[in-house]
Amino acid sequence: MAIIEVSNLKKSFGDLEVLKKITFNVDKNDVVAVIGPSGSGKSTMLRSLVHLEEINGGSIKVAGDQLVKDGVYSKPQEVKRITSKMGMVFQHFNLFPHLTVKENLELPPKLVKNEPTSVIHQRSTELLKKIGLTDRANAYPANLSGGQKQRVAIARALMMNPEILLFDEPTSALDPELTGEVLKVMKDLAEEQMTMIVVTHEMGFAKEVANRVIFMDNGEIIESGHPSELFDNPRNERTKAFLNRV
């Protein structure tokens, strides 16, 4: 059952066409890795799913609800409701520097969800344990490593109980030795059957954790398939050339 349905997605910045008729589905519990060279439209595609980019044409459905149809968006309150089913983790953490780790986690549900404070506290405590940062609950972002900040960003997205998590190159701003701790949290989420779309340069993660890989180049989906097919036996010459480079 498709939880995300994307058809003929188009996006331009002026004369530059960055997405060209992008079409794909994501099933519930899928882990989809999106790979491709820089500037291929991967992040723009991901951001358009949560309405951080407005598309110029095409349709997006999330969990059966129409976010945008043939380039026309639903009413603003509907857009807000539909996009709230998804959590987004960015490349550069986007934590509030003046709030502690625990406060960073608890602010979004306090602003958006009408939940008792005790429930929010309990969830933040559980998530800090899950990401291995219970002892850093009262620390400020400036006192965390990059890997710790990104783990907090993942926990913050999970605080909203999303059905789907979107990751935009979550490890590309990290030193190599810190990448592993973030990928481990993502791997654990995959094992818990969280639906995820991950734009990534981490081919090992795509191979090991994803059950589908989409290769994008020049604003198009060139090829998609199971990791073993796409990595070991790519059909398209552009895919082969990219994989040879990385």
Side-chain angles (χ1 to χ4, degrees):
M1 161 86 187
I3 194 166
I4 294 181
E5 300 166 71
V6 176
S7 61
N8 291 320
L9 212 60
K10 287 184 252 182
K11 171 72 180 175
S12 297
F13 295 113
D15 291 335
L16 180 66
E17 205 178 4
V18 287
L19 297 178
K20 305 168 186 174
K21 294 191 174 179
I22 295 286
T23 297
F24 67 95
N25 285 355
V26 176
D27 288 342
K28 193 171 167 53
N29 309 135
D30 270 356
V31 179
V32 177
V34 184
I35 65 171
S38 297
S40 58
K42 306 183 300 295
S43 293
T44 303
M45 179 276 291
L46 198 72
R47 290 167 65 86
S48 69
L49 298 180
V50 282
H51 198 226
L52 291 174
E53 297 283 0
E54 282 220 353
I55 61 165
N56 304 123
S59 304
I60 301 171
K61 236 182 189 180
V62 180
D65 291 327
Q66 199 83 52
L67 176 67
V68 54
K69 184 170 186 182
D70 300 327
V72 180
Y73 282 89
S74 297
K75 290 178 177 158
Q77 64 268 34
E78 268 297 279
V79 167
K80 195 173 176 183
R81 183 184 68 80
I82 295 165
T83 54
S84 72
K85 297 177 184 187
M86 295 174 279
M88 182 98 174
V89 179
F90 299 91
Q91 186 177 346
H92 291 293
F93 327 128
N94 295 358
L95 300 177
F96 292 109
H98 62 291
L99 299 180
T100 65
V101 164
K102 198 168 174 62
E103 288 165 346
N104 262 286
L105 261 59
E106 294 181 356
L107 183 64
K110 276 178 182 167
L111 293 176
V112 177
K113 285 178 176 275
N114 192 16
E115 289 181 316
T117 303
S118 59
V119 171
I120 293 173
H121 281 333
Q122 185 183 349
R123 193 152 73 248
S124 69
T125 301
E126 287 168 0
L127 283 170
L128 283 171
K129 188 176 177 188
K130 184 188 189 81
I131 62 169
L133 288 176
T134 301
D135 60 331
R136 308 298 279 152
N138 297 313
Y140 288 90
N143 299 318
L144 302 179
S145 71
Q148 289 171 330
K149 287 177 192 171
Q150 193 59 291
R151 283 187 277 159
V152 172
I154 294 170
R156 181 181 58 184
L158 290 168
M159 282 294 292
M160 301 298 285
N161 288 327
E163 294 178 48
I164 303 151
L165 269 186
L166 310 177
F167 294 85
D168 189 9
E169 300 193 10
T171 59
S172 64
L174 301 179
D175 294 332
E177 66 267 26
L178 299 176
T179 295
E181 64 190 59
V182 174
L183 293 178
K184 185 190 178 304
V185 172
M186 293 168 66
K187 192 174 175 183
D188 290 346
L189 289 171
E191 286 170 1
E192 291 165 19
Q193 300 205 300
M194 169 63 79
T195 306
M196 301 195 285
I197 305 177
V198 185
V199 169
T200 185
H201 291 295
E202 296 290 335
M203 298 301 144
F205 174 85
K207 226 175 205 176
E208 187 187 347
V209 182
N211 66 314
R212 187 147 59 93
V213 180
I214 290 173
F215 170 64
M216 285 181 68
D217 191 15
N218 196 27
E220 300 173 292
I221 291 179
I222 305 301
E223 190 169 344
S224 74
H226 191 273
S228 60
E229 293 168 16
L230 195 131
F231 284 109
D232 299 336
N233 193 23
R235 297 186 303 275
N236 191 283
E237 289 305 318
R238 277 153 83 182
T239 316
K240 285 178 191 171
F242 173 76
L243 292 174
N244 283 338
R245 284 201 305 274
V246 298

